[in-house]
Amino acid sequence: MSSNLWKSKLGFILAASGSAIGLGNIWKFPYMTSQYGGGAFLFLYLFCVIVIGYPLLVGEVLIGRSSRKSPLHAYESKNMFWRLPGIAAFIATFIVMSYYMVIAGWSLKYLVATITGSLQFGLENNSDYSDFFTNLLGSYSSLLLYTFLFFILTMYFVIKGINSGIEKLNTYAMPLLFIILIVLAVRAVTLEGGLEAVEYLFKLDFSKINTTVIIAALGQSFFSLSIGSGAIIIYATYLNGKENILKSSTYTAGLDTLVGILAALIVIPIVFSFGHDLSQGPGLTFVTLPYMFGNMVGGFIFAILFFALLVVAALTSTVALLEVTSAICRDAVKNKLTRNQSIVVVSVSTFALSLLQMGSFNVLGGFTMFGGMTIFDVTDYLASNILLPLGGLATALYVGYIMPKHKVIQELQSEGTTNVGVKTMLYLMTTLKYFAPVVVIMVMLSITGLVKF
Ligand code: PHE
């Protein structure tokens, strides 16, 4: 692998948070929270992050930094079984990238349409905005154009390299993202009805918890933290040996969770204050919000800020997806491709799959499987609910059982610069050895319908 390291002390934290924070937080998290019962979902989500997500994040940073290899060979073992997590990570990131670019393209389209005025604000009713969204989804050529632009933008930063491309992008993008988020959240919470939304978000109603909500919360925590995708492993290969792994992981998981909550604090109050219902699902961001922006003071500016936020957040994630997929590809062909060749090969192949993804909103919309799921639905389900959790399971088993314990401790001590307490080790090892595997396996069994809980 490359001997490149993050230049700044914050380089890894910013890049890992950039990978983690994305459409998953700003587009998916608010609508999932509202669909799955507000506080109940938030509670389960936090639970999953603390007892499964965080330890796995530490595990992936550990694997990446100690091996300094792509996920294909980072699980160091002669047993070929350990090539599987890398292969799963490749398939997952390839698939995720193919549809993620399409949604990132919608965000770019909305940003451009807001600035140029082709998305008009202040229209009479919600259906005008849903027409705009439906027209976008129905127009293959628009989707093609904006998805293509997003691919080019992503390739530009990845080709520029680890320091001058990815690190630089994240150094500017992440602070910008936080500023926009805070401005928007303050505006949203102070709207009439804002406090009611806060209450909805934090009020725990245990009766809303069931297996579907648990699966959704677990899948979302993996997707959001980029666990099982190899992205964290790859970024950790560029991490200086002296940096504190526990601290870096805490920041990454903490910032990612904070952004999800802030995004929900933006979207839900806006919807509440206009008396709309929250059951919109994916359309919440692209239909309900533009309507609301059009009807609030300064809405035009807030709309630009919001869609800029989506684009920036998406870009720091697509960059991570392309970096990991092309690194695995290069490793798989034993470095016969150069870094740039591999980036181009992976981008072109993913774009080919994106062509099908775009079709699932229009020409291929009638082509459904498993009881009405489009290609888009099936691939999202396969990646978020099956492949990423399996990747996470592999990490838990590898660090918990395969990696020698002294190596784990040594790596966590970061060349002797960090003290790792007994309690921390106990928490990490118990969650990685027992808790995470049991929960992931139970969720898998329940998804496949083999066992009903
Ligand atoms: N974590 C990103 C999000 O929440 C998506 C992602 C998944 C990015 C896997 C990289 C790898 O949007």
Side-chain angles (χ1 to χ4, degrees):
M1 294 273 350
S2 127
S3 57
N4 243 332
L5 293 181
W6 302 112
K7 275 210 188 94
S8 101
K9 258 186 97 61
L10 283 180
F12 172 76
I13 296 178
L14 290 173
S17 311
S19 150
I21 298 167
L23 295 169
N25 307 60
I26 301 168
W27 168 66
K28 236 175 164 186
F29 187 77
Y31 88 73
M32 287 186 94
T33 308
S34 47
Q35 235 171 18
Y36 292 115
F41 180 78
L42 183 63
F43 170 77
L44 283 176
Y45 181 82
L46 291 178
F47 181 79
C48 290
V49 170
I50 295 168
V51 298
I52 304 176
Y54 174 74
L56 285 177
L57 197 63
V58 173
E60 301 212 338
V61 180
L62 219 139
I63 292 176
R65 191 173 72 178
S66 65
S67 69
R68 301 217 183 269
K69 289 188 185 130
S70 98
L72 194 59
H73 290 102
Y75 300 81
E76 292 173 312
S77 162
K78 295 225 159 38
N79 188 332
M80 288 310 276
F81 171 83
W82 290 104
R83 297 290 83 76
L84 287 180
I87 298 173
F90 180 82
I91 302 174
T93 43
F94 186 77
I95 289 178
V96 170
M97 196 167 25
S98 75
Y99 67 77
Y100 205 93
M101 289 282 189
V102 180
I103 308 169
W106 300 349
S107 317
L108 187 58
K109 163 79 191 179
Y110 268 76
L111 178 62
V112 173
T114 305
I115 295 173
T116 58
S118 69
L119 174 61
Q120 282 181 8
F121 287 100
L123 297 178
E124 279 296 299
N125 51 46
N126 207 12
S127 65
D128 296 321
Y129 293 94
S130 84
D131 286 350
F132 185 89
F133 189 50
T134 318
N135 286 343
L136 170 65
L137 296 192
S139 159
Y140 196 89
S141 55
S142 285
L143 294 180
L144 188 65
L145 173 67
Y146 285 95
T147 308
F148 179 73
L149 287 176
F150 223 93
F151 263 98
I152 298 292
L153 206 59
T154 307
M155 284 171 77
Y156 171 79
F157 287 103
V158 183
I159 286 180
K160 279 199 105 184
I162 302 303
N163 299 120
S164 356
I166 302 181
E167 185 166 2
K168 212 168 190 178
L169 167 73
N170 282 300
T171 307
Y172 289 104
M174 296 317 283
L176 177 71
L177 186 135
F178 272 95
I179 295 172
I180 302 181
L181 262 173
I182 291 170
V183 171
L184 286 169
V186 170
R187 178 72 196 105
V189 174
T190 51
L191 283 169
E192 208 182 310
L195 290 179
E196 207 186 311
V198 174
E199 199 190 312
Y200 171 81
L201 194 58
F202 293 107
K203 202 173 126 207
L204 201 60
D205 177 357
F206 281 107
S207 71
K208 295 205 167 122
I209 296 182
N210 56 40
T211 326
T212 319
V213 182
I214 298 175
I215 296 177
L218 187 77
Q220 172 65 7
S221 67
F222 276 73
F223 184 82
S224 190
L225 291 170
S226 307
I227 284 170
S229 69
I232 300 295
I233 296 187
I234 268 298
Y235 277 179
T237 62
Y238 309 127
L239 178 64
N240 186 314
K242 290 198 168 60
E243 289 303 330
N244 185 331
I245 293 186
L246 294 168
K247 212 159 103 191
S248 306
S249 307
T250 308
Y251 276 114
T252 307
L255 289 175
D256 184 62
T257 308
L258 182 68
V259 171
I261 296 177
L262 279 176
L265 279 177
I266 294 170
V267 177
I268 298 179
I270 296 185
V271 176
F272 262 62
S273 83
F274 289 88
H276 270 255
D277 86 90
L278 284 165
S279 56
Q280 269 278 339
L284 204 55
T285 307
F286 294 101
V287 178
T288 314
L289 279 193
Y291 170 71
M292 312 296 177
F293 285 135
N295 289 290
M296 66 193 232
V297 184
F300 175 68
I301 302 290
F302 288 116
I304 293 183
L305 287 178
F306 183 79
F307 292 116
L309 172 73
L310 270 182
V311 168
V312 170
L315 184 61
T316 54
S317 294
T318 51
V319 158
L321 286 163
L322 182 55
E323 170 69 23
V324 60
T325 322
S326 53
I328 300 180
C329 168
R330 196 155 28 111
D331 195 5
V333 298
K334 302 200 172 62
N335 289 324
K336 283 201 187 86
L337 292 175
T338 64
R339 179 180 160 89
N340 287 353
Q341 282 168 341
S342 174
I343 294 170
V344 173
V345 167
V346 166
S347 303
V348 172
S349 339
T350 319
F351 188 67
L353 184 56
S354 294
L355 293 176
L356 286 180
Q357 301 282 13
M358 291 172 226
S360 65
F361 299 104
N362 38 67
V363 282
L364 295 174
F367 178 69
T368 56
M369 297 158 262
F370 309 115
M373 289 171 97
T374 60
I375 300 172
F376 185 92
D377 300 329
V378 172
T379 46
D380 180 29
Y381 195 86
L382 175 68
S384 315
N385 293 354
I386 300 178
L387 292 172
L388 297 184
L390 282 181
L393 176 63
T395 295
L397 297 178
Y398 183 78
V399 180
Y401 297 96
I402 307 286
M403 227 173 149
K405 189 134 180 245
H406 70 268
K407 221 180 144 189
V408 174
I409 298 179
Q410 195 188 358
E411 196 56 48
L412 287 175
Q413 285 171 335
S414 307
E415 299 181 3
T417 57
T418 313
N419 266 331
V420 188
V422 181
K423 277 195 206 136
T424 312
M425 272 313 276
L426 192 68
Y427 157 62
L428 281 177
M429 287 325 243
T430 318
T431 45
L432 289 175
K433 273 186 146 155
Y434 311 107
F435 208 76
V438 169
V439 174
V440 174
I441 290 170
M442 271 166 54
V443 166
M444 288 293 130
L445 290 176
S446 129
I447 285 179
T448 49
L450 288 174
V451 177
K452 280 224 176 314
F453 294 105

